[in-house]
Amino acid sequence: MTTYAKHSTTYSKHSTYYTSLDSPVGELLLTADESGALSSLSVPGQKGGRTVGPDWRRAPELFKEAERQLAAYFAHELKEFQLETRTSGTEFREKVWSAIDSVPYGTTTTYGEIAARVGASRVAVRAVGGAIGANPLLIVRPCHRVIGADGSLTGYAGGLERKVQLLTLEGR
């Protein structure tokens, strides 16, 4: 087994580390790999969300910066996260997630606009919605800023109530 030393603790390669945090939108479950790169942020009841696995290791010390930035975000003091993240998806999903990352704080965009940004046809809007729904980094990757073409708050893996809370927090 390969191990890495960090913060005078030994972390195993290929392990999943986690912590949970309280937030204004409920409990957050954060996961990271052995390097400390954030790999997911999910909420209870989230469609496709993660749950703690039997071989996961609690390591709150790996998440101090994420905890600091999330607290600042919820306190209206942070508009853009600067965290090391490591997620994996298909090439298409990675393009969609990158497009979501570029949606500024306090603004919204539509599924059709995201499709256009990634060079997908209007027919592919449903696939864009699927990629957005599979976003493993709720809040940090702001999929809550994507709304329907008619302005409706359609779809959010974390629940529409949380989507409303996040958009309200951002002044929308």
Side-chain angles (χ1 to χ4, degrees):
M1 172 179 9
T2 305
T3 59
Y4 299 94
K6 185 171 184 166
H7 306 293
S8 59
T9 303
T10 302
Y11 297 102
S12 302
K13 188 172 183 175
H14 306 298
S15 290
T16 299
Y17 298 93
Y18 76 98
T19 197
S20 57
L21 305 171
D22 288 328
S23 83
V25 296
E27 183 179 46
L28 306 177
L29 175 64
L30 289 75
T31 64
D33 62 17
E34 71 280 353
S35 74
L38 190 65
S39 56
S40 74
L41 188 159
S42 54
V43 295
Q46 175 183 329
K47 179 183 174 190
R50 300 190 80 181
T51 56
V52 177
D55 59 338
W56 289 16
R57 297 182 184 162
R58 181 179 279 287
E61 66 279 3
L62 283 177
F63 300 92
K64 291 300 181 193
E65 183 59 18
E67 183 176 6
R68 186 193 69 73
Q69 288 189 36
L70 284 161
Y73 170 79
F74 286 117
H76 305 277
E77 298 166 357
L78 180 83
K79 295 185 182 343
E80 186 177 328
F81 290 96
Q82 299 292 322
L83 295 168
E84 182 183 354
T85 61
R86 187 164 296 116
T87 58
S88 63
T90 64
E91 183 179 338
F92 179 75
R93 283 185 175 179
E94 293 289 344
K95 282 183 183 179
V96 170
W97 296 342
S98 179
I100 294 168
D101 284 338
S102 70
V103 180
Y105 179 95
T107 66
T108 57
T109 191
T110 67
Y111 294 91
E113 290 168 348
I114 295 291
R117 286 185 198 179
V118 301
S121 69
R122 294 289 297 158
V123 177
V125 170
R126 179 167 249 129
V128 167
I132 292 169
N135 170 19
L137 291 170
L138 290 189
I139 304 168
V140 171
R141 180 176 290 136
C143 57
H144 57 276
R145 297 178 189 153
V146 183
I147 62 173
D150 63 358
S152 62
L153 301 181
T154 60
Y156 186 62
L160 286 180
E161 182 179 311
R162 283 189 185 100
K163 184 172 190 161
V164 168
Q165 287 177 286
L166 293 168
L167 289 172
T168 301
L169 172 86
E170 294 184 10
R172 293 295 301 164

